[in-house]
Amino acid sequence: MIIKKETDISPLEITDEGLYVNRREFIAATAAIAITGAIPDLFAREGDADLKLNVGKSGAYTGGEKTTPVLDATHYNNFYEFSTEKEDVAERSKSFRTRPWTVSVEGHVNKPRLYDIDEVMKMFPLEERIYRFRCVEAWSMVIPWVGFPLGDFIKRCEPTSKAKFVEFTTLKDQKQMPGQTLDVLDWPYIEGLRFDEALNPLTMLAVGMYGKVLPSQNGAPLRLVVPWKYGFKNIKSIVRIRFVEQMPISAWMKANPREYGFYSNVNPEIDHPRWSQARERRIGEIAKRNTLMFNGYSEQVAHMYAGMDLRKYF
Ligand SMILES: Nc1nc2c(c(=O)[nH]1)N[C@H]1C(S)=C(S)[C@@H](COP(=O)(O)O)O[C@H]1N2
Ligand SMILES: [Mo]
């Protein structure tokens, strides 16, 4: 991945405390922006019939850490299909079309099917979950996602006993995704989870964040959220979910197998070959924090890796 020197860090990463707004204040702030016309509504996009999502249950999985300002979460993005510059993704993805959109369920399932995204959005009650998000590049955020457990969707597909892994694929469309004309990765972007990881109650399919539909830059209309793994496992703009017997080769494994493994569990004790993973900079904070084992989700996920050599299975 492209890593910036400290001197290249964008002002967006260092949010002035005075600029921090809580969610209610944020709504007021965007209303004020709408009046002054300073910045257009961050989430407004052509074709969004229902911008505000109907969210039922909600819960924080962070022990009360404050959420990252929405402006940072929506303007500091890794989405190489649009740009390798985190500050440019929002602008470059502005006209990305997320309707019509289908998700193809394939492989070892009794019910292979093509789903329309609007159908998927109504299949399960939507929940809000506030999760820590830790990028492999040693920065982190706290994001209120809106979605449903991936496990609920998987059960609906009726996987067979041959399904040992789940593979996810992002849209491939060079016309809309200018980054795909470059060979940074072997497109389309692919990610995978072991079957038990996919069924873990923490794993979500997200359709929204901060109470609204996902903005394009954050992976509209459907993205994976796996909070105990590095950010790159959280694949965006999913068009295919395939149930397979063999471990999928992710786009990052293919690009650099020495640096990126299949598991990619957040682990402060195992350095990336080019930098330490012991600490992280929470976007909006100056002092670094210690990175937590499994990003702080050990209680919910450590059992899945009991007895595994995490140095070998990184
Ligand atoms: N299709 C696709 N998914 C992707 C990426 C990408 O480049 N393409 N980047 C990953 C990385 S490295 C990170 S850190 C997160 C960033 O998600 P965010 O922009 O919503 O914070 O998306 C992940 N999912
Ligand atoms: Mo990342």
Side-chain angles (χ1 to χ4, degrees):
M1 299 204 180
I2 293 163
I3 299 301
K4 292 191 175 177
K5 300 188 298 283
E6 285 288 333
T7 49
D8 289 337
I9 286 167
S10 107
L12 265 177
E13 294 182 60
I14 305 161
T15 308
D16 181 343
E17 270 308 298
L19 289 176
Y20 177 80
V21 283
N22 72 28
R23 293 188 56 200
R24 192 170 304 139
E25 285 162 357
F26 174 72
I27 293 162
T30 44
I33 287 165
I35 291 160
T36 60
I39 340 177
D41 185 340
L42 301 171
F43 291 79
R45 223 181 27 243
E46 210 186 328
D48 285 335
D50 185 10
L51 283 170
K52 200 152 179 346
L53 293 170
N54 194 6
V55 181
K57 248 198 314 192
S58 63
Y61 294 74
T62 54
E65 291 166 26
K66 70 182 182 193
T67 53
T68 296
V70 66
L71 268 166
D72 292 341
T74 55
H75 287 78
Y76 189 76
N77 304 100
N78 271 332
F79 202 166
Y80 279 18
E81 284 84 341
F82 292 102
S83 176
T84 51
E85 293 296 321
K86 290 185 245 305
E87 293 83 358
D88 292 349
V89 175
E91 178 64 28
R92 297 244 184 116
S93 61
K94 244 163 64 183
S95 53
F96 184 57
R97 291 187 305 275
T98 59
R99 294 294 187 285
W101 190 278
T102 55
V103 181
S104 174
V105 171
E106 303 173 12
H108 298 297
V109 281
N110 290 329
K111 295 189 169 162
R113 242 199 77 180
L114 196 61
Y115 288 89
D116 186 87
I117 187 65
D118 290 316
E119 185 186 359
V120 173
M121 293 195 58
K122 288 181 210 124
M123 270 165 70
F124 308 101
L126 297 181
E127 296 175 35
E128 178 178 75
R129 293 193 187 173
I130 304 173
Y131 281 158
R132 281 179 216 102
F133 181 90
R134 170 62 159 78
C135 178
V136 73
E137 295 161 291
W139 49 265
S140 64
M141 297 193 190
V142 175
I143 298 184
W145 299 108
V146 177
F148 49 85
L150 171 64
D152 290 353
F153 185 80
I154 289 179
K155 281 167 209 148
R156 189 71 68 98
C157 304
E158 295 183 15
T160 70
S161 58
K162 277 193 172 166
K164 305 284 189 232
F165 295 89
V166 187
E167 181 197 80
F168 304 85
T169 306
T170 297
L171 178 71
K172 187 173 177 188
D173 182 354
Q174 280 196 357
K175 284 204 193 94
Q176 289 205 77
M177 295 171 142
Q180 289 181 338
T181 58
L182 308 169
D183 291 332
V184 239
L185 290 171
D186 186 6
W187 311 107
Y189 198 99
I190 286 176
E191 260 306 338
L193 294 174
R194 209 172 61 189
F195 205 64
D196 59 333
E197 299 177 319
L199 291 179
N200 186 282
L202 284 187
T203 308
M204 285 177 90
L205 278 175
V207 297
M209 63 197 289
Y210 297 85
K212 292 186 172 186
V213 291
L214 280 176
S216 298
Q217 62 267 35
N218 294 90
L222 186 72
R223 63 96 56 86
L224 184 68
V225 178
V226 209
W228 70 95
K229 292 179 181 282
Y230 290 119
F232 65 88
K233 296 294 285 184
N234 298 249
I235 183 172
K236 296 174 166 180
S237 305
I238 296 168
V239 293
R240 186 173 71 173
I241 300 177
R242 193 152 63 131
F243 293 78
V244 296
E245 232 177 323
Q246 304 297 320
M247 178 186 286
I249 306 294
S250 70
W252 282 107
M253 289 165 75
K254 217 170 183 181
N256 196 338
R258 205 177 73 86
E259 298 191 358
Y260 304 104
F262 177 77
Y263 286 94
S264 301
N265 292 320
V266 173
N267 189 336
E269 287 160 23
I270 300 174
D271 292 342
H272 182 279
R274 288 182 281 140
W275 62 86
S276 164
Q277 293 292 20
R279 285 150 72 69
E280 67 197 52
R281 209 160 37 77
R282 179 69 49 86
I283 301 302
E285 295 179 355
I286 308 286
K288 288 194 176 163
R289 292 175 174 247
N290 291 330
T291 288
L292 304 172
M293 186 65 198
F294 296 118
N295 206 22
Y297 299 104
S298 291
E299 211 176 293
Q300 295 96 323
V301 305
H303 63 92
M304 295 191 290
Y305 310 103
M308 275 174 70
D309 178 355
L310 298 181
R311 251 165 224 293
K312 185 170 171 207
Y313 300 104
F314 59 97

